[in-house]
Amino acid sequence: RLMSPQGAARLARVCQTYGLAAPLLERFQPWMAEVVLAGAAYRAAGADAESGVEKALAAQAPPAAERRAFETAAEQMELFAGGSIAEQVASLEQSLEEMETDPASYRALVDAWMAADLAGLERDALDPMRKAAPALFTRMVTQRNIAWTRALDARLKGRGRTVVVVGVGHLVGAEGVPARLRALGYSVKGP
């Protein structure tokens, strides 16, 4: 077993809560188990992929709008899978603890976003990963923010309108994309 005894017991309880098969998740790499668990928690909290920001904006975009991604699906998978097993387990165990002890955490994040509570978003969305798996945080958040800011800087020096959709963890704090764009001299409204 890769997980601590407490983590394995918590995994069994959380799986039962969300109607998932713990023996199946135990066969996954820790990062994949965490993704499956997060999806179950978000659905239980009422999240619906069909009602997300990206879908809503895509529906409003003109048919001729060019669509690009910062990363391919394979690159995103490698971000998760490329970390050490130890950091993957640390992140999984932190997520399991949060899911068990604070099942309303997703709703709290949504509420913090709607209230523009930037300190709350940083505390609840970023600090847990930053503490549990610092190398994972650096790879998943900091390094991506740097790369995305470079890409946006090049795009913003061009012509036309650019709409960007990223997760909330990339928008807040001194290392977030808006702060990085401000540091380059751009005027940014919002977080």
Side-chain angles (χ1 to χ4, degrees), residues 11-181:
L11 174 66
R13 291 189 303 269
V14 169
C15 281
Q16 185 173 12
T17 298
Y18 292 99
L20 300 170
L24 177 63
L25 288 185
E26 289 172 355
R27 294 182 189 150
F28 291 168
Q29 290 290 315
W31 71 267
M32 181 56 117
E34 187 171 3
V35 168
V36 170
L37 286 161
Y42 297 157
R43 284 186 300 280
D48 174 15
E50 296 304 311
S51 302
V53 172
E54 189 171 355
K55 287 250 185 197
L57 288 174
Q60 294 175 22
E66 183 179 345
R67 289 164 171 82
R68 296 187 215 165
F70 285 127
E71 303 155 338
T72 66
E75 289 169 331
Q76 290 178 345
M77 297 277 287
E78 181 54 32
L79 287 167
F80 287 104
S84 73
I85 293 296
E87 73 181 0
Q88 290 180 42
V89 169
S91 181
L92 172 60
E93 289 201 11
Q94 182 275 320
S95 291
L96 286 166
E97 180 180 353
E98 183 177 290
M99 290 173 76
E100 187 173 56
T101 61
D102 188 9
S105 62
Y106 175 76
R107 183 75 242 164
L109 283 176
V110 171
D111 292 345
W113 177 254
M114 296 304 290
D117 178 3
L118 302 182
L121 288 167
E122 178 117 12
R123 180 190 64 242
D124 297 337
L126 297 177
D127 286 348
M129 183 196 297
R130 188 183 281 129
K131 290 175 186 163
L136 180 65
F137 179 86
T138 297
R139 195 171 61 258
M140 295 290 295
V141 180
T142 306
Q143 290 175 351
R144 291 167 87 197
N145 289 351
I146 292 168
W148 296 354
T149 301
R150 269 192 234 115
L152 286 168
D153 182 37
R155 174 64 182 112
L156 292 169
K157 287 178 180 170
R159 295 177 34 182
R161 181 177 292 179
T162 299
V163 176
V164 179
V165 180
V166 298
V168 68
H170 299 285
L171 297 174
V172 297
E175 297 179 3
V177 173
R180 290 178 180 282
L181 288 171

